[in-house]
Amino acid sequence: MPSHRERMQACLTGQILDRPPVALWRHQPVDDQSPETLTTATLHFQQTFDFDLVKVTPASSFCLRDWGVEDNWEGNPEGTRRYTKRVITQPEDWTRLTVLDPHSGHLARQIECLRLLRLALDPETPILQTIFNPLAQAKNLAGETQMLEHLRRYPEAVLEGLKIIAASTRRFIEAAAETGIDGIFYAVQHAQAGLLTLEEYQTFGLLIDQSVLTPTAELWCNILHLHGREVYFDLAPLYAALFSRPLIVNWHDRETPPDLSEAQRRFDGVVCGGLSRDTLVLGTPDQVRKEAQEAMMQTGGQRFLLSTGCVVPITAPYGNILAARNGVI
C-alpha cells in the first residue's frame, strides 16, 4: 500500500495509485494556546482518522500576537477565537509595525509545535503549516471594515504595512521549513468580488505575496486556500507560478463557483474539495459518502484531493468524519 507521501506525490503529478488522497482539518480551540497541547490534539486527530496529510491549524492570532493583538475563546463552532484588541486604529499605525523574529515570542511557540509534530509523526506523513497571507493578517490587525477603509483612503500607508507583514511572514516560513514540514496551507481571504475588485486584490494581495512565497521553492506539498464566495479562481495559475511547484487549490466548491469539474478545466494543478461542511455537521454518513462519490465522478479521481472548502467545524460527528475519510475507497 502506498504511503501518504507517495499518494500525495502521485496526486500532484496526475497519477492514481490505490485511491485519491483525503484530508480534513479543524481548529483545536483552547488546545491551540500552547505548542504542546496543539501538538497533542493534532496528533490525536491524525491518529484517529489517518488522513493523507496533516494541516496544522493554530489560532489565526498566532502570527499577530507579537504585534499586540488579543483574542478570546467564546465557543464558536468553527473553533475560532474572537479578537478583543486590535493594534491598527490610525493610518500611521501601519508604518509603525516592525518585522518579527520567528525565533522569539508567539512565533517561536508555533515553530516548536512544528518541531514536535515532525518528531512524533511518521516521516511519510506530510505536514503543512497554515500561513495567512499579509492581507488576511492586516484584516485581523485592524478589523475588516477599518482595513478596507484604510486600503482605499490611505493606500500608501497600508502598502508599507503589508510589506512589513510580508517580511515577517517570509521569515516565519523560512524558519518553519527548517523543522522539516512539507509545505504550507496559504490562506487568502480577500480574493473575492464582494470585498475587493480584481485590480485591488492584485495590488494589495498578489503583488505582496510574491516575496512571501519565495521560501516555498524548497517545499513540495502546498495548498492555496481561496476563502469566501465569488472568489477570483483564475488567480490560481498565477499563484502556482509563485510557488514554483505543483499546487493544490482549495475553495468552497459546494457553496460558490466553480465546481470541481469546471475548476479542472481552468487549472492544471490539483483541486481540493467536494464535501459540504453543512453535510459533515448536519448530514448522515450516507450523505457524506454520496458527496464524496459525486466529487469522484466530477474529477475522475485524478488531480483531486477530497476535503471540505474550509475547516471542519468542531461540532462535526465522528461518524461523518470517518465516512469522509473512507469516501473514496
Side-chain angles (χ1 to χ4, degrees):
M1 178 181 295
S3 69
H4 295 316
R5 178 183 294 270
E6 290 169 337
R7 193 174 290 113
M8 285 304 307
Q9 289 175 336
C11 177
L12 285 164
T13 56
Q15 305 173 58
I16 300 178
L17 299 180
D18 55 332
R19 59 167 176 80
V22 183
L24 298 177
W25 42 84
R26 52 160 284 181
H27 282 284
Q28 306 291 346
V30 181
D31 294 324
D32 58 14
Q33 297 304 289
S34 83
E36 294 80 13
T37 53
L38 179 55
T39 298
T40 300
T42 303
L43 285 172
H44 176 70
F45 192 62
Q46 175 62 11
Q47 289 163 353
T48 302
F49 298 107
D50 194 30
F51 291 120
D52 288 303
L53 62 84
V54 171
K55 186 261 200 190
V56 188
T57 309
S60 62
S61 58
F62 89 91
C63 51
L64 308 173
R65 285 189 175 179
D66 294 324
W67 280 312
V69 303
E70 296 176 5
D71 58 351
N72 283 336
W73 165 241
E74 297 179 352
N76 188 301
E78 285 200 356
T80 55
R81 299 167 65 86
R82 184 177 70 85
Y83 283 86
T84 56
K85 178 185 176 183
R86 313 282 187 176
V87 297
I88 302 291
T89 58
Q90 303 299 321
E92 55 268 25
D93 291 337
W94 295 104
T95 67
R96 294 172 179 158
L97 295 172
T98 58
V99 177
L100 300 177
D101 179 0
H103 299 292
S104 67
H106 289 277
L107 290 181
R109 291 159 65 85
Q110 189 57 33
I111 295 295
E112 175 65 6
C113 173
L114 296 177
R115 189 188 68 80
L116 293 172
L117 277 171
R118 186 70 285 171
L119 288 172
L121 280 168
D122 185 320
E124 287 298 300
T125 300
I127 298 175
L128 279 66
Q129 164 66 28
T130 301
I131 301 291
F132 295 92
N133 86 326
L135 200 53
Q137 293 181 54
K139 177 221 25 183
N140 290 329
L141 287 169
E144 184 83 276
T145 300
Q146 185 153 255
M147 188 273 284
L148 291 175
E149 179 186 347
H150 284 183
L151 181 149
R152 288 168 177 140
R153 294 184 62 190
Y154 311 102
E156 292 181 359
V158 174
L159 281 170
E160 186 171 344
L162 288 171
K163 290 175 183 176
I164 296 168
I165 298 169
S168 289
T169 307
R170 182 176 63 252
R171 292 183 66 183
F172 177 80
I173 295 173
E174 290 170 347
E178 292 175 356
T179 69
I181 64 170
D182 300 273
I184 65 170
F185 179 95
Y186 199 61
V188 166
Q189 299 180 344
H190 292 84
Q192 46 180 319
L195 293 177
L196 296 176
T197 66
L198 180 58
E199 182 179 7
E200 286 175 327
Y201 183 77
Q202 288 174 324
T203 299
F204 294 93
L206 185 64
L207 289 176
I208 297 295
D209 291 345
Q210 288 181 357
S211 65
V212 174
L213 296 173
T214 303
T216 63
E218 306 301 318
L219 304 172
W220 66 272
C221 185
N222 299 293
I223 298 178
L224 169 69
H225 172 62
L226 298 174
H227 187 82
R229 297 177 180 274
E230 296 182 275
V231 297
Y232 296 123
F233 185 83
D234 288 334
L235 290 170
L238 301 180
Y239 271 103
L242 297 183
F243 277 92
S244 305
R245 292 289 189 104
L247 182 65
I248 304 164
V249 63
N250 172 243
W251 74 106
H252 302 250
D253 68 287
R254 287 283 179 175
E255 302 171 33
T256 192
D259 63 19
L260 294 172
S261 59
E262 172 65 18
Q264 285 194 328
R265 289 191 287 272
R266 293 162 60 181
F267 177 63
D268 61 7
V270 173
V271 297
C272 173
L275 297 174
S276 162
R277 294 193 299 167
D278 286 344
T279 304
L280 273 175
V281 173
L282 302 173
T284 65
D286 283 344
Q287 290 172 320
V288 173
R289 282 189 287 268
K290 181 180 178 182
E291 285 191 346
Q293 292 304 311
E294 288 175 352
M296 285 279 287
M297 290 180 64
Q298 286 190 58
T299 61
Q302 196 166 15
R303 294 191 294 118
F304 168 57
L305 168 62
L306 180 66
S307 189
T308 53
C310 199
V311 292
V312 174
I314 61 175
T315 50
Y318 167 87
N320 284 356
I321 299 176
L322 186 63
R325 166 63 181 81
N326 296 327
V328 295
I329 294 178

